[in-house]
Coordinates of all heavy atoms in Angstrom, one line a residue:
E811 N -17.1 46.9 -18.5 CA -17.9 47.0 -19.8 C -19.4 47.3 -19.5 O -20.0 48.0 -20.3 CB -17.7 45.6 -20.5 CG -16.3 45.4 -21.0 CD -16.0 44.0 -21.4 OE1 -16.9 43.1 -21.2 OE2 -14.8 43.7 -21.8
L812 N -19.9 46.7 -18.5 CA -21.3 46.9 -18.1 C -21.5 48.4 -17.7 O -22.5 49.0 -18.1 CB -21.7 46.0 -17.0 CG -23.2 46.0 -16.5 CD1 -24.1 45.7 -17.7 CD2 -23.4 45.1 -15.4
G813 N -20.6 48.9 -17.0 CA -20.7 50.3 -16.6 C -20.6 51.3 -17.8 O -21.4 52.3 -17.8
F814 N -19.7 51.1 -18.7 CA -19.7 51.9 -19.9 C -21.0 51.8 -20.7 O -21.5 52.9 -21.2 CB -18.5 51.5 -20.8 CG -17.2 52.3 -20.5 CD1 -16.4 51.9 -19.5 CD2 -16.9 53.4 -21.2 CE1 -15.2 52.6 -19.2 CE2 -15.8 54.1 -21.0 CZ -14.9 53.7 -20.0
F815 N -21.5 50.6 -20.9 CA -22.8 50.5 -21.6 C -23.9 51.2 -20.9 O -24.7 51.9 -21.6 CB -23.1 49.0 -21.8 CG -24.3 48.8 -22.7 CD1 -24.1 48.8 -24.1 CD2 -25.5 48.6 -22.1 CE1 -25.2 48.6 -24.9 CE2 -26.6 48.4 -22.9 CZ -26.5 48.4 -24.3
A816 N -24.0 51.1 -19.6 CA -25.0 51.7 -18.9 C -24.9 53.2 -18.9 O -25.9 53.9 -19.1 CB -25.0 51.3 -17.4
Y817 N -23.7 53.7 -18.9 CA -23.5 55.2 -19.0 C -24.0 55.8 -20.3 O -24.7 56.8 -20.3 CB -22.0 55.5 -18.8 CG -21.7 57.0 -19.0 CD1 -21.9 57.9 -18.1 CD2 -21.1 57.3 -20.2 CE1 -21.6 59.3 -18.3 CE2 -20.7 58.7 -20.4 CZ -21.0 59.6 -19.5 OH -20.7 60.9 -19.7
Y818 N -23.6 55.1 -21.4 CA -24.0 55.7 -22.7 C -25.4 55.4 -23.0 O -26.1 56.1 -23.8 CB -23.1 55.1 -23.8 CG -21.7 55.7 -23.8 CD1 -20.6 54.9 -23.3 CD2 -21.5 57.0 -24.1 CE1 -19.3 55.5 -23.3 CE2 -20.2 57.6 -24.1 CZ -19.1 56.8 -23.7 OH -17.9 57.4 -23.6
A819 N -26.0 54.3 -22.4 CA -27.4 54.1 -22.6 C -28.2 55.2 -21.9 O -29.2 55.7 -22.4 CB -27.8 52.8 -22.0
V820 N -27.8 55.7 -20.7 CA -28.5 56.8 -20.0 C -28.3 58.1 -20.8 O -29.2 58.9 -20.9 CB -27.9 56.9 -18.6 CG1 -28.4 58.2 -17.9 CG2 -28.3 55.7 -17.7
M821 N -27.1 58.3 -21.3 CA -26.8 59.5 -22.0 C -27.6 59.6 -23.3 O -28.1 60.7 -23.7 CB -25.3 59.6 -22.3 CG -24.4 59.8 -21.1 SD -24.7 61.3 -20.2 CE -24.1 62.5 -21.4
S822 N -27.8 58.5 -24.0 CA -28.5 58.5 -25.2 C -30.0 58.4 -25.0 O -30.8 58.8 -25.9 CB -28.0 57.4 -26.2 OG -28.3 56.1 -25.6
G823 N -30.4 57.9 -23.9 CA -31.8 57.8 -23.6 C -32.5 56.6 -24.2 O -33.8 56.5 -24.2
E824 N -31.8 55.6 -24.8 CA -32.4 54.5 -25.4 C -31.4 53.3 -25.4 O -30.2 53.5 -25.4 CB -32.8 54.8 -26.8 CG -31.7 55.1 -27.8 CD -32.1 55.3 -29.2 OE1 -33.3 55.0 -29.5 OE2 -31.3 55.6 -30.1
V825 N -31.9 52.1 -25.5 CA -31.1 50.9 -25.6 C -31.8 50.0 -26.6 O -33.0 49.6 -26.5 CB -31.0 50.1 -24.3 CG1 -30.3 48.8 -24.4 CG2 -30.4 50.9 -23.2
T826 N -31.0 49.6 -27.7 CA -31.6 48.8 -28.7 C -30.6 47.6 -28.9 O -29.6 47.5 -28.3 CB -31.7 49.6 -30.1 OG1 -30.4 49.9 -30.5 CG2 -32.5 50.8 -29.9
T827 N -31.0 46.7 -29.9 CA -30.2 45.5 -30.2 C -28.9 45.9 -30.9 O -27.9 45.1 -30.9 CB -30.9 44.5 -31.0 OG1 -31.4 45.2 -32.2 CG2 -32.1 44.0 -30.3
T828 N -28.8 47.1 -31.4 CA -27.6 47.6 -32.2 C -27.1 48.9 -31.6 O -26.2 49.5 -32.2 CB -28.0 47.8 -33.6 OG1 -29.0 48.8 -33.8 CG2 -28.4 46.5 -34.3
G829 N -27.5 49.3 -30.4 CA -27.0 50.6 -29.9 C -27.3 50.7 -28.4 O -27.9 49.8 -27.8
P830 N -26.8 51.8 -27.9 CA -26.1 52.9 -28.5 C -24.6 52.6 -28.8 O -24.0 52.0 -28.1 CB -26.2 54.0 -27.5 CG -26.2 53.3 -26.2 CD -27.0 52.0 -26.4
V831 N -24.2 53.2 -30.0 CA -22.8 53.1 -30.3 C -22.2 54.5 -30.4 O -22.5 55.2 -31.4 CB -22.6 52.3 -31.7 CG1 -21.1 52.3 -32.0 CG2 -23.2 51.0 -31.6
P832 N -21.4 54.9 -29.5 CA -20.9 56.3 -29.5 C -19.8 56.4 -30.6 O -18.6 56.2 -30.3 CB -20.4 56.5 -28.1 CG -20.0 55.1 -27.6 CD -21.0 54.2 -28.3
I833 N -20.2 56.8 -31.8 CA -19.2 56.8 -32.9 C -18.1 57.8 -32.6 O -16.9 57.5 -33.0 CB -20.0 57.2 -34.2 CG1 -21.0 56.2 -34.5 CG2 -19.0 57.4 -35.3 CD1 -20.5 54.8 -34.8
D834 N -18.3 58.9 -31.9 CA -17.3 59.9 -31.7 C -16.5 59.7 -30.4 O -15.8 60.6 -30.0 CB -17.9 61.3 -31.7 CG -18.5 61.6 -33.1 OD1 -18.0 61.2 -34.1 OD2 -19.6 62.3 -33.1
N835 N -16.7 58.5 -29.8 CA -16.1 58.3 -28.5 C -14.6 58.1 -28.7 O -14.1 57.7 -29.7 CB -16.6 57.0 -27.9 CG -16.2 56.8 -26.5 OD1 -15.1 56.2 -26.2 ND2 -16.9 57.3 -25.5
V836 N -13.8 58.5 -27.7 CA -12.4 58.5 -27.8 C -11.8 57.1 -27.7 O -10.6 56.9 -28.1 CB -11.8 59.4 -26.6 CG1 -12.0 58.7 -25.3 CG2 -10.3 59.7 -26.9
F837 N -12.6 56.1 -27.4 CA -12.1 54.8 -27.2 C -12.4 53.9 -28.4 O -11.8 52.9 -28.6 CB -12.8 54.1 -26.0 CG -12.3 54.6 -24.7 CD1 -13.2 54.9 -23.7 CD2 -10.9 54.9 -24.5 CE1 -12.7 55.4 -22.5 CE2 -10.5 55.5 -23.3 CZ -11.4 55.7 -22.3
I838 N -13.4 54.2 -29.2 CA -13.8 53.4 -30.4 C -12.7 53.3 -31.4 O -12.0 54.3 -31.6 CB -15.1 53.9 -31.0 CG1 -15.7 52.9 -32.0 CG2 -14.8 55.3 -31.7 CD1 -17.0 53.3 -32.6
Y839 N -12.5 52.1 -32.0 CA -11.4 52.0 -33.0 C -12.0 52.5 -34.3 O -13.1 52.1 -34.8 CB -11.0 50.5 -33.2 CG -10.2 50.3 -34.4 CD1 -8.8 50.7 -34.4 CD2 -10.7 49.9 -35.6 CE1 -8.0 50.6 -35.5 CE2 -9.9 49.8 -36.8 CZ -8.6 50.1 -36.7 OH -7.8 50.0 -37.8
R840 N -11.3 53.4 -34.9 CA -11.6 54.0 -36.2 C -10.5 54.0 -37.1 O -9.3 54.3 -36.7 CB -12.1 55.5 -36.0 CG -13.3 55.7 -35.2 CD -13.7 57.1 -34.9 NE -13.7 57.9 -36.2 CZ -14.4 59.0 -36.3 NH1 -15.0 59.5 -35.2 NH2 -14.4 59.7 -37.4
P841 N -10.7 53.6 -38.4 CA -9.6 53.5 -39.3 C -8.9 54.8 -39.6 O -7.7 54.9 -40.0 CB -10.2 52.9 -40.6 CG -11.7 53.2 -40.4 CD -12.0 53.2 -39.0
D842 N -9.7 55.9 -39.5 CA -9.1 57.2 -39.7 C -8.3 57.8 -38.5 O -7.8 58.9 -38.6 CB -10.2 58.2 -40.2 CG -11.3 58.4 -39.1 OD1 -11.5 57.4 -38.3 OD2 -11.9 59.4 -39.1
K843 N -8.3 57.1 -37.4 CA -7.6 57.5 -36.2 C -6.7 56.5 -35.7 O -6.5 56.3 -34.5 CB -8.6 58.0 -35.2 CG -9.4 59.2 -35.6 CD -10.4 59.6 -34.4 CE -11.2 60.8 -34.8 NZ -10.3 62.0 -35.1
R844 N -6.0 55.7 -36.6 CA -5.1 54.7 -36.1 C -3.9 55.2 -35.4 O -3.2 54.4 -34.7 CB -4.7 53.8 -37.4 CG -5.8 52.9 -37.9 CD -5.3 52.2 -39.1 NE -4.9 53.1 -40.2 CZ -4.2 52.7 -41.3 NH1 -3.7 51.5 -41.4 NH2 -3.9 53.6 -42.2
I845 N -3.6 56.4 -35.6 CA -2.4 57.0 -34.9 C -2.6 57.1 -33.4 O -1.7 57.1 -32.6 CB -2.1 58.4 -35.5 CG1 -0.7 58.9 -35.0 CG2 -3.2 59.4 -35.1 CD1 0.4 58.1 -35.5

Side-chain angles (χ1 to χ4, degrees):
E811 293 165 359
L812 183 61
F814 267 86
F815 185 82
Y817 172 78
Y818 286 108
V820 171
M821 294 297 294
S822 64
E824 63 175 356
V825 177
T826 67
T827 57
T828 58
V831 181
I833 298 298
D834 296 326
N835 189 274
V836 70
F837 291 138
I838 191 172
Y839 170 80
R840 296 176 52 160
D842 58 335
K843 294 184 180 295
R844 288 179 298 165
I845 193 65

